[in-house]
């Protein structure tokens, strides 16, 4: 059974204080790992897809990295508008290519 | 409108009511999904439709009944719900059913009293 564990559950940072969110996973044949951002009262919004260990993707202050067992979402010099819940999901190979989501990390960036 | 829209945004219903949630995607996608999101729990996939055919049903109780009349519209018909069914119900779409890049609607906040 595919599993995704995100840590920490919640993280409070001061504006400009860089940090990382963790997503550990077990999956039979990783097809892709996905990061989404969810703001209160909204649906998740796609951020990145990572396909193989060693791959990195960047977008503004965010950088996602992938190893064979986990992914990190690095946030450099965050701003209050980066406050959101960040969700990680994995997609296995095979015929049933559902996404398995983690519970998310709720990030709060204080001004 | 663009993207994925859902109506209503909020719904309060009694345990004996019947109601429906509506989702519409304006992206030309071929796959649509219903998810349930409860507090502090991961998103739970409920149903997947691909080209209007249901391809996944993740052991969802029969009090939830999906309908996909065409590739742009998805409904979730609700009847005889339980209080534990209170949650945020999210609709999503993707280019095809193998796509992990999904586009989500804003959700319907459902409260069962």
């Amino acid at each position: 059974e595919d599993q995704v564990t995100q840590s920490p559950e919640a993280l409070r940072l001061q504006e400009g204080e860089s940090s990382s969110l963790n997503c550990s996973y077990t999956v039979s044949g990783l097809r892709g790992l996905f990061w989404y951002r969810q703001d209160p009262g909204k649906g998740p919004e796609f951020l990145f897809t990572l396909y193989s260990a060693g791959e990195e993707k960047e977008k503004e202050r965010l950088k996602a990295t992938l190893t064979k067992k986990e992914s990190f979402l690095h946030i450099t010099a965050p701003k209050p508008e980066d406050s959101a819940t960040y969700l990680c999901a994995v997609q296995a190979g095979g015929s049933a290519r559902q996404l398995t989501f983690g519970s998310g990390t709720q990030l709060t960036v204080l001004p | 409108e663009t993207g994925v829209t859902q109506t209503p945004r909020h719904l309060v219903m009694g345990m004996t009511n019947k109601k429906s949630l509506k989702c519409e995607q304006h992206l030309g996608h071929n796959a649509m999904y219903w998810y349930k999101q409860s507090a502090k729990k991961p998103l739970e996939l409920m149903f997947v439709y691909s080209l209007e055919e249901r391809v996944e049903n993740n052991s969802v109780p029969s009090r939830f009944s999906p309908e996909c009349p065409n590739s742009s519209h998805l409904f979730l018909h609700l009847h005889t719900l339980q209080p534990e069914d209170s949650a945020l119900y999210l609709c999503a779409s993707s280019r095809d059913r193998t796509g992990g890049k999904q586009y989500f609607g804003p959700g319907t906040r459902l409260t069962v009293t």
Side-chain angles (χ1 to χ4, degrees):
Chain A
E1 183 181 337
D2 302 336
Q3 287 193 327
V4 178
T5 303
Q6 292 189 246
S7 62
E9 284 188 20
L11 180 63
R12 292 166 67 92
L13 300 173
Q14 290 295 135
E15 184 172 2
E17 179 186 2
S18 301
S19 187
S20 296
L21 313 183
N22 178 264
C23 171
S24 298
Y25 65 90
T26 55
V27 63
S28 53
L30 181 70
R31 177 178 171 84
L33 184 140
F34 302 83
W35 282 98
Y36 286 83
R37 168 189 172 133
Q38 187 173 20
D39 292 298
K42 295 187 177 181
E45 178 184 352
F46 171 80
L47 291 173
F48 304 109
T49 308
L50 301 166
Y51 295 103
S52 57
E55 189 174 359
E56 299 182 350
K57 294 276 180 73
E58 284 190 65
K59 180 180 179 180
E60 296 181 356
R61 296 175 292 281
L62 300 177
K63 184 168 86 170
T65 61
L66 181 65
T67 72
K68 289 187 177 180
K69 294 183 178 181
E70 56 193 350
S71 177
F72 292 93
L73 185 65
H74 307 278
I75 303 176
T76 302
K79 298 182 178 182
E81 53 262 42
D82 295 320
S83 298
T85 296
Y86 291 86
L87 303 174
C88 172
V90 296
Q91 186 181 41
S95 59
R97 293 176 178 173
Q98 305 174 10
L99 291 183
T100 300
F101 281 86
S103 298
T105 294
Q106 185 176 8
L107 174 67
T108 303
V109 182
L110 303 170
Chain B
E1 286 195 73
T2 59
V4 180
T5 58
Q6 290 187 243
T7 55
R9 293 294 311 276
H10 300 272
L11 178 63
V12 179
M13 58 185 290
M15 293 170 62
T16 58
N17 290 160
K18 290 184 179 182
K19 296 286 185 183
S20 296
L21 309 185
K22 179 183 176 182
C23 174
E24 184 173 0
Q25 60 97 358
H26 309 266
L27 300 168
H29 288 166
N30 290 320
M32 297 187 76
Y33 311 79
W34 279 116
Y35 287 91
K36 176 183 179 181
Q37 187 174 37
S38 304
K40 305 294 185 183
K41 293 179 67 176
L43 267 72
E44 300 172 50
L45 179 65
M46 300 175 72
F47 302 103
V48 181
Y49 275 84
S50 176
L51 296 171
E52 302 149 42
E53 178 185 347
R54 190 191 311 178
V55 295
E56 296 287 347
N57 177 347
N58 283 354
S59 303
V60 178
S62 59
R63 56 186 184 268
F64 295 91
S65 176
E67 178 189 0
C68 187
N70 55 62
S71 59
S72 298
H73 294 86
L74 187 64
F75 294 89
L76 189 62
H77 304 298
L78 315 171
H79 67 94
T80 324
L81 293 190
Q82 304 298 311
E84 59 264 30
D85 297 322
S86 299
L88 181 68
Y89 288 84
L90 291 162
C91 173
S93 71
S94 63
R95 187 176 57 189
D96 54 54
R97 64 168 293 216
T98 65
K101 182 179 179 180
Q102 297 178 8
Y103 294 77
F104 286 81
T108 295
R109 174 67 62 185
L110 174 66
T111 302
V112 181
T113 61

